[in-house]
Amino acid sequence: MSSCQEKKECGTQQAYELPENLFRELDAFIDSLPTKKGHLVTVLHKAQSLFGFLPVEIQEYVAEHMDVPVVHVFGVVSFYTFFTMKPKGKHPIAVCMGTACFVKGADKVVEALKQQLNLEVGEVTSDGKFSLDCLRCVGACALAPVVIVGEKVYGNVTTDQVKSIIADFA
């Protein structure tokens, strides 16, 4: 298990401080499964809920403990948009950019969020409170444009609502 200092470069990947107690909690979760076979996605969900994201170190750890090749774990993590390999803010913000949302102004909502939070898509605010991402489609076209903050869904969002949405979590 790798535990480089936070923001210290290890090879070409940025390394993060990954708490040992979370690895122990992940071990206990894996040990509680009736079988490892068929539970990779479940374990990755648990790992992401514990660590907040799935960097290479965690993917390698999961691969070893689930007895699967690391390339298989990476394939699953990179395929499903729910999984992230980069840290997220305490309150991750996702804006749907599907056709209905885009047509109804999601791009303008993204610009307002970027300006309000002073960050780009894919970044985390300097205080670690917010991160901003775009999604392909959340399947809530009747509510377009849709913004999700953590697990809270906002529908029919306008640029004028951005400040109050952020204030809900500040």
Side-chain angles (χ1 to χ4, degrees), residues 33-112:
L33 295 171
T35 177
K36 291 179 184 179
K37 186 176 172 93
H39 288 281
L40 178 58
V41 172
T42 304
V43 169
L44 289 170
H45 276 285
K46 180 64 172 182
Q48 184 164 289
S49 74
L50 290 170
F51 294 96
F53 67 117
L54 299 171
V56 171
E57 296 90 343
I58 293 172
Q59 292 179 53
E60 290 170 345
Y61 188 86
V62 168
E64 180 181 328
H65 287 77
M66 293 297 289
D67 303 319
V68 296
V70 71
V71 69
H72 181 70
V73 172
F74 175 78
V76 171
V77 170
S78 61
F79 178 80
Y80 291 106
T81 57
F82 173 80
F83 295 124
T84 180
M85 293 182 256
K86 296 188 318 188
K88 298 289 182 193
K90 179 178 179 185
H91 305 290
I93 301 171
V95 180
C96 179
M97 295 299 280
T99 303
C101 288
F102 188 81
V103 167
K104 290 192 171 187
D107 58 328
K108 292 172 184 64
V109 172
V110 169
E111 288 304 316

Side-chain angles (χ1 to χ4, degrees), residues 134-146:
C134 294
L135 302 174
R136 283 173 251 167
C137 183
V138 297
C141 301
L143 299 175
V146 174

Side-chain angles (χ1 to χ4, degrees), residues 147-159:
V147 173
I148 302 169
V149 183
E151 294 185 13
K152 186 168 183 180
V153 178
Y154 295 86
N156 303 304
V157 177
T158 65
T159 56

